Amino acid sequence: MEQARQARNVVILIYEKVEPLDFVGPFEAFISASDFGRDFNVYTVAEREGAVAAVGNLSVNPAYAFDSCPKPDILIVPGGWGSRKERLNPAIVNWVREASGEAELVLSVCTGALILAATGLLDGLDVTTNRSAMHELRAAVPSTTRVIEGVRYVDNGKIVLSAGVSAGIDASLYVVGKLLGIERAEKAATIMEYDWRRE
């Protein structure tokens, strides 16, 4: 009898002033690629329970708080104006560092890279972010880290970083292809009616 496949937990961090498309885009990409939940369980997590006000005052209720969140297999760290504040928040930085250690793969979108930089996990890697935040990322990482401009995403093996906003969808589909094959990623893009920009 064929063993039932275990769906990967895709955990998306949200916080005050997170950019909506930075987390909703990857959410949609992994849901569309999930084969009706067989391959990915996708959910949001925040530092604590209760509504989170994203950029534009979009109110979002996280599925979990840090203390109740199931172990992530894939961790997504989105950006937004709030990333500048949250990269100085020990609760978020420590949780991301710990969750990243247990995860199979970590993906940042836009200025989510600033939060990852605060964990020390980007030391010596190739990184990218939103074009308007390159100077902030350069200031946040050591000289051993190479900041790359003009790309949609970069893959360091376990850690994938993407440029701004819609690039997070491209990177999410790339990750789907990396894990489940290119045909699954292409099918998800078709379901979304999304023009996937690959590197």
Side-chain angles (χ1 to χ4, degrees), residues 22-85:
D22 279 13
F23 73 90
V24 175
F27 193 103
E28 182 65 33
F30 281 98
I31 288 291
S32 296
S34 72
D35 191 19
F36 301 99
R38 292 183 185 92
D39 291 314
F40 299 117
N41 296 315
V42 188
Y43 46 84
T44 53
V45 63
E47 182 179 351
R48 59 185 65 87
E49 293 180 1
V52 171
V55 169
N57 210 29
L58 174 68
S59 183
V60 185
N61 290 306
Y64 295 98
F66 288 169
D67 61 3
S68 63
C69 183
K71 175 188 169 296
D73 297 302
I74 300 169
L75 173 63
I76 300 177
V77 183
W81 288 110
S83 62
R84 280 82 171 177
K85 177 182 176 186

